[in-house]
Amino acid sequence: TVKTAPKGAIDQLGHSLSRVIHAFAETEDDARIFMAKWDIKDGFWRMDAEEGAEWNFSYVLPQSPGSPCLLVVPTSLQMGWVESPPFFCAASETARDVAQDYCETKIGSLPPHKFTHYVLGDAAYEELPETDPMGRAFRYLLEVYVDDFVSLVIPTSREQLRHVSTSTMTGIHDVFPADENDANDPISEKKLKQLDGAYAPRKTILGFDFDGVAKTMWLEDAKRAHLLTVLHSWLRSSRTGTSGIPFKKFESIIAKIRHAFTAIPAGRGLLTPCNKMLQMKPPVVYLHRNAVLQAAIAGCRTILRESSDSPTRCRGGSPRASQCRSVIGWALASPWRGWPGRRVCISTRIRV
């Protein structure tokens, strides 16, 4: 395959979570962050292949012996093709940029969106005044990770939250056209019904639970439970010395633990013996033959188990400012739009 997809958008994948954490770290203690998210349904299939290029995705449909041969010719991007992610991310990043432009318009200037009612309902949302009589500016951050759009807002009124949500969904539909049937719309109505799009001070974002009041984060419960179960089985097997861990499995779980330690910076030092084992790449990893590695795995399990009782403050676990791309290039690496006293620099967002 000759790679022709834009590379700028795919390069942003590893930084979305860092920028969200950085936004929390830059926020005053008395501010309250509201969060919402939207998911693009059937993402790759929303991208049409160039006319004539669809034959590159053709395949023979498996049939019983003696049945006619059926050839399938998809007209959209397919899972598994190396160029599908960068092409799709170029589109989703463009949708984020369009949504950013809508956010900068006057509040009330955009027509109501058909999914706006999914933004309402949270108790914290109802506590806000409908409008801000003082006309104070609000701050917001828009991020996208492949097909997940994330909105963070520090509002002073409900109409500000509706404005940002309407801007985001309108921007998405400008790139991924709306469907008359809400169930088939690019914006997943199923996820909206699960309250993903309802602004609230507590929300699961990119695999981590965030608290917009305490400015803390912790690993999503289901992911933490899975890691604890796997590590427990490893340690139990190591005590009997009956079996080892296939290297691919070991590599996969350590990668997930490393990601989990984004919210637990103190645990990163425990991965040193694991990293050494990854460099060696043995076919099978035997914990009972490596006491240091076994102790490190036990330490990882302990710190994961206790992490839910002590969520990490984002200010303490924030990535360095130089690692965070400011969404519109604010000075002092502030990721928020509307931060008072900051001057605007050149945007580093990718437009396609």
Side-chain angles (χ1 to χ4, degrees):
T1 299
V2 178
K3 297 183 179 180
T4 59
K7 298 299 185 293
I10 200 73
D11 291 342
Q12 299 299 327
L13 283 184
H15 305 293
S16 297
L17 178 61
S18 294
R19 288 190 294 271
V20 170
I21 298 173
H22 187 54
F24 272 73
E26 287 288 302
T27 304
E28 307 94 326
D29 289 339
D30 59 349
R32 185 164 54 167
I33 302 174
F34 283 72
M35 294 161 278
K37 57 184 181 179
W38 299 267
D39 178 73
I40 303 299
K41 179 182 178 182
D42 302 328
F44 287 174
W45 292 352
R46 302 283 176 182
M47 303 285 291
D48 292 335
E50 183 182 9
E51 185 176 359
E54 64 271 8
W55 295 99
N56 293 310
F57 302 124
S58 60
Y59 59 90
V60 176
L61 192 66
Q63 296 288 319
S64 57
S67 298
C69 180
L70 297 180
L71 183 66
V72 179
V73 185
T75 59
S76 58
L77 291 184
Q78 299 295 296
M79 296 290 292
W81 185 44
V82 69
E83 288 282 82
S84 286
F87 271 119
F88 180 82
C89 287
S92 60
E93 282 277 347
T94 299
R96 195 226 69 96
D97 287 347
V98 174
Q100 176 90 52
D101 291 341
Y102 282 130
C103 285
E104 293 301 300
T105 61
K106 182 180 179 181
I107 293 179
S109 62
L110 297 175
H113 195 277
K114 66 175 181 177
F115 288 149
T116 298
H117 59 283
Y118 287 115
V119 178
L120 320 177
D122 186 82
Y125 171 89
E126 297 298 337
E127 292 173 0
L128 292 169
E130 173 59 25
T131 60
D132 186 351
M134 300 178 61
R136 291 172 293 178
F138 66 98
R139 287 170 282 169
Y140 68 91
L141 169 68
L142 295 182
E143 277 296 337
V144 61
Y145 181 84
V146 189
D147 58 354
D148 293 326
F149 286 77
V150 177
S151 168
L152 277 60
V153 186
I154 303 177
T156 60
S157 67
R158 294 198 296 266
E159 68 173 0
Q160 294 169 349
L161 290 175
R162 292 198 301 273
H163 178 70
V164 175
S165 67
T166 298
S167 299
T168 304
M169 292 186 289
T170 302
I172 292 173
H173 277 159
D174 279 0
V175 176
F176 303 96
D179 195 296
E180 293 183 358
N181 183 353
D182 291 350
N184 294 329
D185 197 89
I187 298 177
S188 174
E189 187 185 33
K190 177 182 177 181
K191 295 294 183 67
L192 291 177
K193 289 181 177 179
Q194 295 172 357
L195 304 182
D196 280 8
Y199 275 104
R202 180 174 289 194
K203 188 77 70 174
T204 300
I205 301 292
L206 301 178
F208 292 90
D209 290 331
F210 285 86
D211 188 326
V213 177
K215 316 301 183 305
T216 56
M217 64 181 294
W218 59 97
L219 186 65
E220 188 178 356
D221 288 345
K223 296 182 184 296
R224 185 172 63 90
H226 170 68
L227 289 175
L228 289 175
T229 300
V230 172
L231 296 183
H232 175 69
S233 66
W234 285 3
L235 292 170
R236 183 175 56 189
S237 297
S238 70
R239 285 193 289 269
T240 60
T242 55
S243 62
I245 308 163
F247 179 75
K248 288 295 184 182
K249 177 71 172 179
F250 180 81
E251 184 180 39
S252 173
I253 293 299
I254 296 304
K256 293 178 180 179
I257 294 175
R258 182 177 290 106
H259 179 66
F261 283 172
T262 301
I264 318 172
R268 295 170 186 165
L270 293 171
L271 294 178
T272 299
C274 302
N275 294 334
K276 292 180 179 179
M277 186 59 64
L278 291 175
Q279 292 176 347
M280 296 171 61
K281 297 183 179 180
V284 180
V285 176
Y286 294 98
L287 296 185
H288 64 280
R289 298 178 183 176
N290 190 326
V292 175
L293 180 61
Q294 185 180 33
I297 295 298
C300 288
R301 182 172 181 270
T302 298
I303 201 168
L304 282 171
R305 187 177 61 241
E306 298 177 354
S307 62
S308 61
D309 297 329
S310 303
T312 300
R313 279 187 57 84
C314 294
R315 188 178 298 276
S318 173
R320 293 184 297 111
S322 61
Q323 295 175 333
C324 298
R325 175 189 62 178
S326 172
V327 294
I328 44 177
W330 290 107
L332 305 183
S334 171
W336 291 102
R337 180 67 170 177
W339 189 282
R342 265 57 171 178
R343 60 182 176 83
V344 179
C345 304
I346 298 175
S347 172
T348 54
R349 271 283 177 185
I350 302 297
R351 289 188 182 272
V352 180

